[in-house]
Amino acid sequence: MRTFGRGVLYSIIVIAVLLLISFIIGDTVTLPWYIFIPLFVLVWALAVYQEGRNRSRQG
């Protein structure tokens, strides 16, 4: 369950960064699917990696 929470947190951070970039440039930021999907997978892979690292430290 922690991996899901961490993945959602990282996804929210990415969305906030894109929103900030949108405010700075004053235009809409659009991401094509071939950029969005790998970014999404990367964020969730980072969450899974972090959880695995935390488990190995505890274990």
Side-chain angles (χ1 to χ4, degrees):
M1 191 66 179
R2 280 189 247 163
T3 303
F4 178 76
R6 192 177 304 231
V8 170
L9 175 67
Y10 292 165
S11 297
I12 291 171
I13 290 171
V14 168
I15 290 170
V17 167
L18 289 173
L19 185 63
L20 180 66
I21 291 171
S22 176
F23 282 138
I24 290 173
I25 65 173
D27 200 9
T28 303
V29 176
T30 57
L31 291 176
W33 286 108
Y34 58 86
I35 293 176
F36 174 76
I37 292 173
L39 181 64
F40 188 76
V41 169
L42 182 67
V43 165
W44 282 89
L46 179 63
V48 170
Y49 172 74
Q50 289 287 331
E51 183 60 30
R53 207 168 72 170
N54 286 343
R55 283 188 194 177
S56 67
R57 285 184 187 170
Q58 293 174 356

Short mmCIF file of all heavy atoms in Angstrom, two decimals:
data_model
loop_
_atom_site.label_atom_id
_atom_site.label_comp_id
_atom_site.label_asym_id
_atom_site.label_seq_id
_atom_site.Cartn_x
_atom_site.Cartn_y
_atom_site.Cartn_z
N MET A 1 0.82 -1.19 0.00
CA MET A 1 0.00 0.00 0.00
C MET A 1 0.87 1.26 0.00
O MET A 1 0.49 2.26 -0.55
CB MET A 1 -0.92 -0.05 1.22
CG MET A 1 -1.98 0.98 1.19
SD MET A 1 -3.09 0.66 -0.17
CE MET A 1 -4.23 1.95 0.05
N ARG A 2 2.04 1.16 0.62
CA ARG A 2 2.91 2.33 0.63
C ARG A 2 3.40 2.68 -0.78
O ARG A 2 3.58 3.85 -1.09
CB ARG A 2 4.12 2.09 1.52
CG ARG A 2 3.80 2.29 2.97
CD ARG A 2 5.06 2.25 3.76
NE ARG A 2 4.98 1.05 4.60
CZ ARG A 2 6.00 0.50 5.19
NH1 ARG A 2 7.20 0.99 5.02
NH2 ARG A 2 5.85 -0.56 5.93
N THR A 3 3.60 1.67 -1.60
CA THR A 3 4.04 1.92 -2.97
C THR A 3 2.99 2.71 -3.73
O THR A 3 3.32 3.64 -4.47
CB THR A 3 4.33 0.59 -3.69
OG1 THR A 3 5.30 -0.13 -2.94
CG2 THR A 3 4.85 0.83 -5.08
N PHE A 4 1.73 2.35 -3.53
CA PHE A 4 0.65 3.08 -4.21
C PHE A 4 0.62 4.53 -3.76
O PHE A 4 0.53 5.45 -4.57
CB PHE A 4 -0.70 2.41 -3.92
CG PHE A 4 -1.86 3.14 -4.54
CD1 PHE A 4 -2.11 3.04 -5.90
CD2 PHE A 4 -2.69 3.91 -3.77
CE1 PHE A 4 -3.16 3.71 -6.48
CE2 PHE A 4 -3.75 4.59 -4.34
CZ PHE A 4 -3.99 4.49 -5.69
N GLY A 5 0.72 4.75 -2.45
CA GLY A 5 0.71 6.12 -1.92
C GLY A 5 1.89 6.93 -2.43
O GLY A 5 1.75 8.11 -2.77
N ARG A 6 3.04 6.30 -2.47
CA ARG A 6 4.23 6.98 -2.96
C ARG A 6 4.10 7.29 -4.45
O ARG A 6 4.48 8.37 -4.91
CB ARG A 6 5.46 6.12 -2.71
CG ARG A 6 6.75 6.82 -2.90
CD ARG A 6 7.88 5.90 -2.57
NE ARG A 6 7.71 5.40 -1.22
CZ ARG A 6 8.64 5.43 -0.29
NH1 ARG A 6 9.82 5.90 -0.58
NH2 ARG A 6 8.43 4.96 0.92
N GLY A 7 3.54 6.35 -5.22
CA GLY A 7 3.34 6.58 -6.65
C GLY A 7 2.37 7.72 -6.91
O GLY A 7 2.59 8.55 -7.79
N VAL A 8 1.31 7.77 -6.13
CA VAL A 8 0.35 8.86 -6.27
C VAL A 8 1.00 10.19 -5.89
O VAL A 8 0.82 11.20 -6.57
CB VAL A 8 -0.90 8.60 -5.40
CG1 VAL A 8 -1.79 9.82 -5.34
CG2 VAL A 8 -1.67 7.41 -5.95
N LEU A 9 1.79 10.19 -4.82
CA LEU A 9 2.49 11.41 -4.42
C LEU A 9 3.42 11.90 -5.51
O LEU A 9 3.43 13.09 -5.86
CB LEU A 9 3.28 11.17 -3.13
CG LEU A 9 4.15 12.33 -2.66
CD1 LEU A 9 3.28 13.51 -2.24
CD2 LEU A 9 5.04 11.89 -1.52
N TYR A 10 4.22 10.99 -6.08
CA TYR A 10 5.13 11.38 -7.15
C TYR A 10 4.36 11.87 -8.38
O TYR A 10 4.79 12.82 -9.05
CB TYR A 10 6.05 10.22 -7.54
CG TYR A 10 7.05 9.84 -6.47
CD1 TYR A 10 7.72 8.63 -6.54
CD2 TYR A 10 7.34 10.67 -5.40
CE1 TYR A 10 8.64 8.26 -5.57
CE2 TYR A 10 8.26 10.31 -4.43
CZ TYR A 10 8.90 9.11 -4.52
OH TYR A 10 9.82 8.75 -3.58
N SER A 11 3.22 11.26 -8.68
CA SER A 11 2.40 11.70 -9.81
C SER A 11 1.87 13.11 -9.57
O SER A 11 1.86 13.94 -10.48
CB SER A 11 1.23 10.74 -10.02
OG SER A 11 1.68 9.46 -10.36
N ILE A 12 1.45 13.38 -8.34
CA ILE A 12 0.96 14.72 -8.01
C ILE A 12 2.08 15.75 -8.13
O ILE A 12 1.86 16.86 -8.62
CB ILE A 12 0.34 14.73 -6.60
CG1 ILE A 12 -0.97 13.93 -6.61
CG2 ILE A 12 0.10 16.15 -6.11
CD1 ILE A 12 -1.56 13.69 -5.24
N ILE A 13 3.28 15.36 -7.71
CA ILE A 13 4.43 16.28 -7.83
C ILE A 13 4.71 16.60 -9.30
O ILE A 13 4.96 17.75 -9.66
CB ILE A 13 5.66 15.70 -7.12
CG1 ILE A 13 5.45 15.70 -5.62
CG2 ILE A 13 6.92 16.46 -7.49
CD1 ILE A 13 6.50 14.95 -4.82
N VAL A 14 4.67 15.58 -10.16
CA VAL A 14 4.90 15.80 -11.60
C VAL A 14 3.82 16.72 -12.17
O VAL A 14 4.12 17.64 -12.94
CB VAL A 14 4.94 14.46 -12.35
CG1 VAL A 14 4.88 14.67 -13.85
CG2 VAL A 14 6.19 13.69 -11.98
N ILE A 15 2.58 16.51 -11.79
CA ILE A 15 1.49 17.36 -12.27
C ILE A 15 1.67 18.79 -11.79
O ILE A 15 1.46 19.74 -12.54
CB ILE A 15 0.13 16.79 -11.83
CG1 ILE A 15 -0.15 15.50 -12.59
CG2 ILE A 15 -0.99 17.80 -12.05
CD1 ILE A 15 -1.35 14.72 -12.07
N ALA A 16 2.10 18.96 -10.53
CA ALA A 16 2.33 20.31 -9.99
C ALA A 16 3.47 21.01 -10.73
O ALA A 16 3.39 22.20 -11.01
CB ALA A 16 2.64 20.23 -8.50
N VAL A 17 4.52 20.26 -11.06
CA VAL A 17 5.64 20.86 -11.82
C VAL A 17 5.16 21.29 -13.21
O VAL A 17 5.50 22.38 -13.68
CB VAL A 17 6.82 19.87 -11.90
CG1 VAL A 17 7.85 20.32 -12.91
CG2 VAL A 17 7.45 19.69 -10.54
N LEU A 18 4.38 20.43 -13.87
CA LEU A 18 3.85 20.81 -15.18
C LEU A 18 2.93 22.03 -15.09
O LEU A 18 2.96 22.89 -15.97
CB LEU A 18 3.11 19.63 -15.81
CG LEU A 18 3.97 18.47 -16.27
CD1 LEU A 18 3.09 17.29 -16.71
CD2 LEU A 18 4.89 18.89 -17.40
N LEU A 19 2.15 22.11 -14.03
CA LEU A 19 1.28 23.28 -13.83
C LEU A 19 2.11 24.53 -13.61
O LEU A 19 1.79 25.60 -14.16
CB LEU A 19 0.36 23.03 -12.64
CG LEU A 19 -0.68 24.08 -12.34
CD1 LEU A 19 -1.67 24.20 -13.51
CD2 LEU A 19 -1.43 23.73 -11.07
N LEU A 20 3.18 24.41 -12.83
CA LEU A 20 4.07 25.55 -12.60
C LEU A 20 4.73 26.01 -13.91
O LEU A 20 4.80 27.21 -14.19
CB LEU A 20 5.14 25.17 -11.57
CG LEU A 20 6.14 26.25 -11.21
CD1 LEU A 20 5.44 27.40 -10.49
CD2 LEU A 20 7.25 25.67 -10.36
N ILE A 21 5.18 25.06 -14.69
CA ILE A 21 5.77 25.40 -16.00
C ILE A 21 4.73 26.09 -16.88
O ILE A 21 5.04 27.07 -17.56
CB ILE A 21 6.32 24.13 -16.69
CG1 ILE A 21 7.56 23.62 -15.93
CG2 ILE A 21 6.67 24.41 -18.15
CD1 ILE A 21 8.03 22.26 -16.39
N SER A 22 3.50 25.61 -16.82
CA SER A 22 2.44 26.22 -17.61
C SER A 22 2.20 27.68 -17.19
O SER A 22 1.99 28.55 -18.03
CB SER A 22 1.15 25.41 -17.44
OG SER A 22 0.08 26.01 -18.10
N PHE A 23 2.21 27.93 -15.87
CA PHE A 23 2.03 29.30 -15.39
C PHE A 23 3.20 30.19 -15.81
O PHE A 23 3.02 31.35 -16.16
CB PHE A 23 1.88 29.34 -13.88
CG PHE A 23 0.53 28.95 -13.39
CD1 PHE A 23 0.40 28.14 -12.28
CD2 PHE A 23 -0.62 29.38 -14.02
CE1 PHE A 23 -0.85 27.77 -11.81
CE2 PHE A 23 -1.88 29.02 -13.57
CZ PHE A 23 -1.99 28.21 -12.47
N ILE A 24 4.41 29.65 -15.76
CA ILE A 24 5.59 30.45 -16.10
C ILE A 24 5.59 30.84 -17.57
O ILE A 24 5.85 31.99 -17.91
CB ILE A 24 6.88 29.68 -15.73
CG1 ILE A 24 7.02 29.61 -14.21
CG2 ILE A 24 8.10 30.34 -16.35
CD1 ILE A 24 8.16 28.74 -13.73
N ILE A 25 5.29 29.87 -18.46
CA ILE A 25 5.33 30.20 -19.88
C ILE A 25 4.03 30.84 -20.36
O ILE A 25 3.99 31.41 -21.45
CB ILE A 25 5.67 28.97 -20.75
CG1 ILE A 25 4.59 27.91 -20.66
CG2 ILE A 25 7.02 28.41 -20.40
CD1 ILE A 25 4.79 26.75 -21.61
N GLY A 26 2.97 30.75 -19.56
CA GLY A 26 1.72 31.40 -19.90
C GLY A 26 0.95 30.72 -21.01
O GLY A 26 0.20 31.37 -21.73
N ASP A 27 1.14 29.44 -21.16
CA ASP A 27 0.46 28.69 -22.21
C ASP A 27 0.14 27.29 -21.70
O ASP A 27 0.61 26.89 -20.64
CB ASP A 27 1.34 28.61 -23.46
CG ASP A 27 0.57 28.30 -24.72
OD1 ASP A 27 -0.67 28.33 -24.69
OD2 ASP A 27 1.23 28.03 -25.74
N THR A 28 -0.63 26.57 -22.46
CA THR A 28 -0.98 25.21 -22.08
C THR A 28 0.17 24.27 -22.40
O THR A 28 0.77 24.35 -23.48
CB THR A 28 -2.23 24.75 -22.86
OG1 THR A 28 -3.29 25.66 -22.61
CG2 THR A 28 -2.64 23.36 -22.45
N VAL A 29 0.48 23.39 -21.47
CA VAL A 29 1.51 22.39 -21.68
C VAL A 29 0.80 21.10 -22.07
O VAL A 29 0.01 20.56 -21.30
CB VAL A 29 2.35 22.17 -20.41
CG1 VAL A 29 3.35 21.05 -20.62
CG2 VAL A 29 3.07 23.43 -20.02
N THR A 30 1.06 20.62 -23.26
CA THR A 30 0.48 19.36 -23.70
C THR A 30 1.59 18.35 -23.90
O THR A 30 2.65 18.66 -24.45
CB THR A 30 -0.31 19.53 -25.01
OG1 THR A 30 0.55 20.07 -26.00
CG2 THR A 30 -1.48 20.47 -24.82
N LEU A 31 1.34 17.15 -23.43
CA LEU A 31 2.31 16.08 -23.59
C LEU A 31 1.74 15.03 -24.52
O LEU A 31 0.64 14.53 -24.29
CB LEU A 31 2.62 15.42 -22.24
CG LEU A 31 3.37 16.25 -21.22
CD1 LEU A 31 3.50 15.49 -19.92
CD2 LEU A 31 4.74 16.61 -21.74
N PRO A 32 2.47 14.67 -25.55
CA PRO A 32 2.01 13.57 -26.40
C PRO A 32 2.09 12.25 -25.64
O PRO A 32 2.82 12.12 -24.65
CB PRO A 32 2.96 13.60 -27.59
CG PRO A 32 4.09 14.46 -27.21
CD PRO A 32 3.68 15.28 -26.06
N TRP A 33 1.34 11.27 -26.11
CA TRP A 33 1.29 9.97 -25.44
C TRP A 33 2.66 9.32 -25.33
O TRP A 33 2.96 8.68 -24.34
CB TRP A 33 0.33 9.03 -26.18
CG TRP A 33 -1.09 9.40 -25.96
CD1 TRP A 33 -1.94 9.96 -26.86
CD2 TRP A 33 -1.85 9.27 -24.75
NE1 TRP A 33 -3.16 10.18 -26.29
CE2 TRP A 33 -3.12 9.75 -25.00
CE3 TRP A 33 -1.55 8.78 -23.49
CZ2 TRP A 33 -4.11 9.78 -24.02
CZ3 TRP A 33 -2.54 8.80 -22.52
CH2 TRP A 33 -3.80 9.29 -22.80
N TYR A 34 3.50 9.48 -26.36
CA TYR A 34 4.80 8.82 -26.33
C TYR A 34 5.76 9.47 -25.32
O TYR A 34 6.83 8.93 -25.07
CB TYR A 34 5.44 8.75 -27.72
CG TYR A 34 5.64 10.08 -28.40
CD1 TYR A 34 6.78 10.83 -28.17
CD2 TYR A 34 4.70 10.57 -29.30
CE1 TYR A 34 6.98 12.04 -28.79
CE2 TYR A 34 4.89 11.77 -29.94
CZ TYR A 34 6.03 12.51 -29.68
OH TYR A 34 6.21 13.70 -30.30
N ILE A 35 5.41 10.59 -24.75
CA ILE A 35 6.17 11.17 -23.65
C ILE A 35 5.47 10.92 -22.32
O ILE A 35 6.11 10.60 -21.32
CB ILE A 35 6.39 12.68 -23.87
CG1 ILE A 35 7.29 12.91 -25.06
CG2 ILE A 35 6.98 13.33 -22.62
CD1 ILE A 35 7.49 14.36 -25.43
N PHE A 36 4.14 11.01 -22.31
CA PHE A 36 3.39 10.85 -21.07
C PHE A 36 3.48 9.44 -20.50
O PHE A 36 3.72 9.27 -19.29
CB PHE A 36 1.91 11.21 -21.29
CG PHE A 36 1.05 10.95 -20.09
CD1 PHE A 36 1.09 11.80 -19.02
CD2 PHE A 36 0.22 9.85 -20.05
CE1 PHE A 36 0.31 11.57 -17.90
CE2 PHE A 36 -0.57 9.60 -18.95
CZ PHE A 36 -0.52 10.47 -17.87
N ILE A 37 3.32 8.44 -21.33
CA ILE A 37 3.31 7.05 -20.84
C ILE A 37 4.66 6.66 -20.23
O ILE A 37 4.71 6.13 -19.12
CB ILE A 37 2.85 6.09 -21.94
CG1 ILE A 37 1.37 6.34 -22.24
CG2 ILE A 37 3.07 4.64 -21.52
CD1 ILE A 37 0.83 5.57 -23.42
N PRO A 38 5.79 6.91 -20.90
CA PRO A 38 7.08 6.58 -20.23
C PRO A 38 7.31 7.40 -18.96
O PRO A 38 7.88 6.88 -17.99
CB PRO A 38 8.13 6.92 -21.28
CG PRO A 38 7.42 6.85 -22.57
CD PRO A 38 6.02 7.30 -22.30
N LEU A 39 6.86 8.65 -18.93
CA LEU A 39 6.99 9.46 -17.72
C LEU A 39 6.18 8.85 -16.58
O LEU A 39 6.65 8.74 -15.45
CB LEU A 39 6.53 10.89 -18.00
CG LEU A 39 6.63 11.88 -16.84
CD1 LEU A 39 8.08 12.07 -16.45
CD2 LEU A 39 6.01 13.20 -17.24
N PHE A 40 4.97 8.42 -16.89
CA PHE A 40 4.10 7.78 -15.91
C PHE A 40 4.73 6.48 -15.40
O PHE A 40 4.77 6.23 -14.19
CB PHE A 40 2.74 7.51 -16.55
CG PHE A 40 1.70 7.03 -15.60
CD1 PHE A 40 1.08 7.92 -14.74
CD2 PHE A 40 1.33 5.70 -15.57
CE1 PHE A 40 0.11 7.49 -13.86
CE2 PHE A 40 0.36 5.25 -14.69
CZ PHE A 40 -0.25 6.14 -13.83
N VAL A 41 5.26 5.68 -16.30
CA VAL A 41 5.91 4.42 -15.91
C VAL A 41 7.16 4.71 -15.08
O VAL A 41 7.42 4.02 -14.08
CB VAL A 41 6.25 3.59 -17.17
CG1 VAL A 41 7.15 2.42 -16.83
CG2 VAL A 41 4.98 3.11 -17.85
N LEU A 42 7.91 5.72 -15.43
CA LEU A 42 9.11 6.08 -14.69
C LEU A 42 8.78 6.50 -13.26
O LEU A 42 9.47 6.10 -12.31
CB LEU A 42 9.86 7.20 -15.42
CG LEU A 42 11.16 7.66 -14.79
CD1 LEU A 42 12.20 6.55 -14.88
CD2 LEU A 42 11.65 8.91 -15.48
N VAL A 43 7.72 7.28 -13.10
CA VAL A 43 7.32 7.72 -11.76
C VAL A 43 6.94 6.53 -10.90
O VAL A 43 7.35 6.42 -9.74
CB VAL A 43 6.15 8.74 -11.87
CG1 VAL A 43 5.47 8.93 -10.55
CG2 VAL A 43 6.66 10.06 -12.40
N TRP A 44 6.15 5.61 -11.45
CA TRP A 44 5.74 4.44 -10.67
C TRP A 44 6.90 3.48 -10.45
O TRP A 44 6.99 2.85 -9.39
CB TRP A 44 4.55 3.76 -11.34
CG TRP A 44 3.31 4.53 -11.03
CD1 TRP A 44 2.80 5.57 -11.75
CD2 TRP A 44 2.45 4.38 -9.90
NE1 TRP A 44 1.68 6.05 -11.14
CE2 TRP A 44 1.44 5.34 -10.01
CE3 TRP A 44 2.45 3.51 -8.81
CZ2 TRP A 44 0.43 5.46 -9.06
CZ3 TRP A 44 1.45 3.64 -7.87
CH2 TRP A 44 0.45 4.59 -8.00
N ALA A 45 7.82 3.37 -11.39
CA ALA A 45 9.00 2.52 -11.19
C ALA A 45 9.87 3.09 -10.07
O ALA A 45 10.43 2.33 -9.27
CB ALA A 45 9.80 2.42 -12.49
N LEU A 46 9.97 4.40 -10.00
CA LEU A 46 10.71 5.03 -8.91
C LEU A 46 10.06 4.73 -7.57
O LEU A 46 10.75 4.44 -6.59
CB LEU A 46 10.79 6.55 -9.14
CG LEU A 46 11.52 7.35 -8.07
CD1 LEU A 46 12.98 6.94 -8.01
CD2 LEU A 46 11.39 8.83 -8.37
N ALA A 47 8.75 4.74 -7.51
CA ALA A 47 8.04 4.42 -6.27
C ALA A 47 8.29 2.97 -5.87
O ALA A 47 8.53 2.68 -4.69
CB ALA A 47 6.55 4.67 -6.44
N VAL A 48 8.25 2.06 -6.82
CA VAL A 48 8.50 0.65 -6.52
C VAL A 48 9.95 0.46 -6.06
O VAL A 48 10.23 -0.28 -5.11
CB VAL A 48 8.19 -0.23 -7.75
CG1 VAL A 48 8.68 -1.65 -7.55
CG2 VAL A 48 6.70 -0.20 -8.04
N TYR A 49 10.87 1.14 -6.70
CA TYR A 49 12.29 1.04 -6.33
C TYR A 49 12.51 1.55 -4.91
O TYR A 49 13.21 0.93 -4.11
CB TYR A 49 13.13 1.84 -7.32
CG TYR A 49 14.58 1.97 -6.91
CD1 TYR A 49 15.44 0.89 -7.02
CD2 TYR A 49 15.07 3.17 -6.42
CE1 TYR A 49 16.77 1.00 -6.64
CE2 TYR A 49 16.40 3.29 -6.04
CZ TYR A 49 17.23 2.22 -6.15
OH TYR A 49 18.54 2.32 -5.76
N GLN A 50 11.91 2.71 -4.58
CA GLN A 50 12.05 3.27 -3.24
C GLN A 50 11.49 2.32 -2.19
O GLN A 50 12.08 2.15 -1.12
CB GLN A 50 11.34 4.62 -3.15
CG GLN A 50 12.01 5.73 -3.90
CD GLN A 50 13.28 6.19 -3.24
OE1 GLN A 50 13.41 6.11 -2.03
NE2 GLN A 50 14.22 6.67 -4.03
N GLU A 51 10.35 1.71 -2.46
CA GLU A 51 9.75 0.77 -1.52
C GLU A 51 10.64 -0.45 -1.33
O GLU A 51 10.82 -0.94 -0.21
CB GLU A 51 8.37 0.35 -1.98
CG GLU A 51 7.65 -0.56 -1.03
CD GLU A 51 7.43 0.04 0.34
OE1 GLU A 51 7.29 1.28 0.44
OE2 GLU A 51 7.39 -0.72 1.32
N GLY A 52 11.21 -0.97 -2.40
CA GLY A 52 12.12 -2.11 -2.29
C GLY A 52 13.36 -1.78 -1.48
O GLY A 52 13.85 -2.59 -0.70
N ARG A 53 13.86 -0.58 -1.66
CA ARG A 53 15.04 -0.15 -0.91
C ARG A 53 14.71 -0.02 0.58
O ARG A 53 15.51 -0.40 1.42
CB ARG A 53 15.54 1.17 -1.47
CG ARG A 53 17.01 1.37 -1.25
CD ARG A 53 17.53 2.50 -2.04
NE ARG A 53 17.03 3.74 -1.43
CZ ARG A 53 17.44 4.94 -1.75
NH1 ARG A 53 18.32 5.08 -2.70
NH2 ARG A 53 16.96 6.00 -1.16
N ASN A 54 13.51 0.49 0.89
CA ASN A 54 13.10 0.61 2.28
C ASN A 54 12.91 -0.77 2.92
O ASN A 54 13.25 -0.96 4.08
CB ASN A 54 11.81 1.42 2.41
CG ASN A 54 12.05 2.90 2.18
OD1 ASN A 54 13.17 3.37 2.23
ND2 ASN A 54 11.00 3.63 1.89
N ARG A 55 12.37 -1.72 2.16
CA ARG A 55 12.17 -3.07 2.70
C ARG A 55 13.51 -3.75 2.99
O ARG A 55 13.66 -4.46 3.97
CB ARG A 55 11.37 -3.93 1.74
CG ARG A 55 9.92 -3.63 1.76
CD ARG A 55 9.17 -4.64 0.94
NE ARG A 55 7.82 -4.13 0.71
CZ ARG A 55 6.93 -4.77 -0.03
NH1 ARG A 55 7.26 -5.90 -0.61
NH2 ARG A 55 5.75 -4.26 -0.19
N SER A 56 14.49 -3.54 2.11
CA SER A 56 15.79 -4.18 2.33
C SER A 56 16.51 -3.59 3.54
O SER A 56 17.26 -4.27 4.21
CB SER A 56 16.66 -4.06 1.08
OG SER A 56 17.01 -2.72 0.83
N ARG A 57 16.28 -2.34 3.83
CA ARG A 57 16.88 -1.72 5.02
C ARG A 57 16.24 -2.25 6.31
O ARG A 57 16.91 -2.41 7.30
CB ARG A 57 16.69 -0.21 5.00
CG ARG A 57 17.58 0.50 4.02
CD ARG A 57 17.38 1.98 4.13
NE ARG A 57 18.11 2.66 3.08
CZ ARG A 57 17.98 3.94 2.81
NH1 ARG A 57 17.13 4.66 3.49
NH2 ARG A 57 18.67 4.48 1.84
N GLN A 58 14.93 -2.50 6.26
CA GLN A 58 14.23 -2.99 7.45
C GLN A 58 14.51 -4.46 7.70
O GLN A 58 14.52 -4.90 8.84
CB GLN A 58 12.72 -2.79 7.30
CG GLN A 58 12.30 -1.35 7.29
CD GLN A 58 10.82 -1.21 7.00
OE1 GLN A 58 10.14 -2.18 6.74
NE2 GLN A 58 10.35 0.03 7.05
N GLY A 59 14.71 -5.21 6.65
CA GLY A 59 14.68 -6.60 6.71
C GLY A 59 15.69 -7.51 7.04
O GLY A 59 15.77 -8.48 7.57
#
